[in-house]
Amino acid sequence: MTTGSPSETPPALVLDGVSVVRGGRTVWDEGTLTVPAGAVVGVIGPNGAGKTTLFQLALGLLPAATGRIEVLGGAPRRGNRRIGYVPQNYTAALGEAVRARDLVMLGLTGNRFGVRRATPDERARVDDALRRVGAAGYADRRMSELSGGQQQRVAIAQAIVDDADLLLLDEPLANLDLRNSQEIVTLLGELRRERAVTIMVVAHDLNPLLPVLTDAVYLLDGHPHHDVIGEVVTEDLLTHLYGTRVRVVRTAQGDLFTRSG
Amino acid sequence: MRFQENWLQILQTTFMQHALVGGSLVAVTAGLMGYFVITRQNAFAAHALAHIGFPGATGAILVGAPVTLGLAVFCVGGGLLIGLFGKRVAEREIATGTILAFATGLGVLFASLATANASTTTNVLFGNLLAISRDQLWLFGGFTLLVVGALALIARPLVFASVDPAVAEARGVPVRALGVAFVVLLALTVTMAVQVVGTLLLFALVVTPAAAALRLTARPGAVAALSVAFALVSVWVGLVLSAMVDLPPSFFVVSVAVLVWVVVLVVTRDRGRRTATPARGGHDRLPAVPERTH
Ligand SMILES: Nc1ncnc2c1ncn2[C@@H]1O[C@H](COP(=O)(O)OP(=O)(O)OP(=O)(O)O)[C@@H](O)[C@H]1O
Ligand SMILES: [Mg+2]
């Protein structure tokens, strides 16, 4: 499969007048925005604002009440192999029956019915994905025997194993210590550089992600908005967004930090 | 309890031959299903379905229908109801418990109405391998082909839907439909297994061998093979022992299965301890940025 030159690549996500209703309540509306291909997008907003809901729309798991959605140039549909997804609270469900490598393999072949052995090529791709996220060392361990951060890496390996063009990561840093979250952030930067993949990351703490973020989608006053990261990381906007005073600090090296209070 | 010197001849009788074949079919099916029962955290449903079958069997006796038919109708019906209620474990547990309670009530009613044949009721509760008829064997063969064939077909998406339902759904796996298909297969397995070990002891054949296998390995193929092997050994050794001392085979089948499980637990107890300690290597480094050379 060949892809056209970057200028022909359709945007990763387009919302046009989209509203979404869950349980009889409007979660958000008037969603009109375009996420360009190749961006690394922080998805921010307070609890219950509808960040996870946005991902579910893009995955075709939830219909829009009004408006038009386009994902990677097409309508959202379940089973779109071009999207890799790591849900929120990933670590909750996994039992002791699967090994890390089995889980990653499911990302490649898990939706196929019938009897078929994994091909050597498929196994190589699984190994490669595990290596990319730094999980090769525990590929044969059971998911239930891994720490939260290790499980998170395996989940990301599963999301990238099928060469997705769009990664939707719902709070992938939530369970990680400083060092592990920095390593995941580094990995996201590498993925984008090497494969031009678009990455959307839900996060409550922007700081660890700031080095790689290019854009942000923020849910403010019941509407989703998109902007480049520099326009979003401002004291006024973040303070408004979180309803508590947020300060933005720029270090002498030019690094941005946000802090509350 | 008395040792029977002629146990080798007993093993060659028709009813023993039927028991061996029927028990083996059940062992293969139950051993395979067990793996999925555990990955789906569905052990309670397996247990409940066995009991839901009880009113089916006593009801069949009441109206003079074949016991297998009554069992199948109630197990599959109960399975469908359980499968239709919620895909989340918590929802499923509540639905399962409620249906189980209702079925048990019906069972009590039917059993008291059908007072004539208490030994058949005992057979349903405790199973009787030695009462398997030739016709039942054909039926078991059909069930086994159906369950094993269907499992082979849906195994991969079913595992995906079981361990990782949110991602599986996003990936286009029909999570809900697979859940329903699975409980129907489970119901067919239970219908067979109940006649071997009875509703009260069924757990030992459907869940215990797979649980033991999973302690030893997590490679899917190896788990399936070991689980089937443990179930087969339980049935075979159980039958030979029952021929030797003329006691109900159910007891021996279950005892062997439990013994295997206990031995495996003891052998693998170190692994549990290792898991309990804080994971080593929580700080595995990412590899240095690899340069793409192609
Ligand atoms: N299954 C559901 N049925 C009905 N309403 C729901 C459902 N899931 C979420 N909601 C509602 O939709 C709104 C948005 O939820 P969503 O999970 O998208 O929030 P979020 O921004 O991801 O929050 P968090 O930061 O806590 O993860 C919330 O008000 C929530 O109550
Ligand atoms: Mg959320």
Side-chain angles (χ1 to χ4, degrees), chain A residues 78-79 87 90 94 97 99 107 109-110 112 114 116 131 133 142 145 150 153 158 162 177 179-180 183 190, chain B residues 39 153 156-157 160 163-164 167 169-173 214 217 219 271 275 281-287 289:
Chain A
R78 276 183 50 185
Y90 189 74
L94 301 164
R99 298 170 302 169
T109 64
R112 292 194 213 143
R116 207 178 114 276
R131 205 174 316 114
V133 302
R142 299 167 195 239
E145 293 174 351
Q150 292 171 326
R153 284 171 196 247
Q158 189 202 47
D162 208 7
D177 61 25
R179 172 149 152 207
N180 271 292
E183 288 178 358
E190 288 167 19
Chain B
T39 55
L153 204 65
R156 215 177 354 228
F160 201 3
V163 300
D164 204 355
V167 179
E169 195 165 21
R171 279 292 190 153
V173 173
L214 260 171
T217 174
R219 300 171 62 93
R271 210 200 65 212
T275 318
H283 285 285
D284 309 69
R285 294 215 53 85
L286 284 171
V289 183

Side-chain angles (χ1 to χ4, degrees), chain A residues 92-142:
Chain A
L94 301 164
E96 60 165 344
V98 284
R99 298 170 302 169
R101 72 166 63 257
D102 300 327
L103 195 83
V104 177
M105 183 61 90
L106 286 174
L108 211 49
T109 64
N111 55 353
R112 292 194 213 143
F113 287 81
V115 192
R116 207 178 114 276
R117 282 182 67 83
T119 64
D121 172 60
E122 283 164 349
R123 276 195 224 107
R125 286 173 73 183
V126 168
D127 283 337
D128 188 51
L130 284 161
R131 205 174 316 114
R132 291 295 289 114
V133 302
Y138 39 84
D140 289 313
R141 303 241 311 263
R142 299 167 195 239

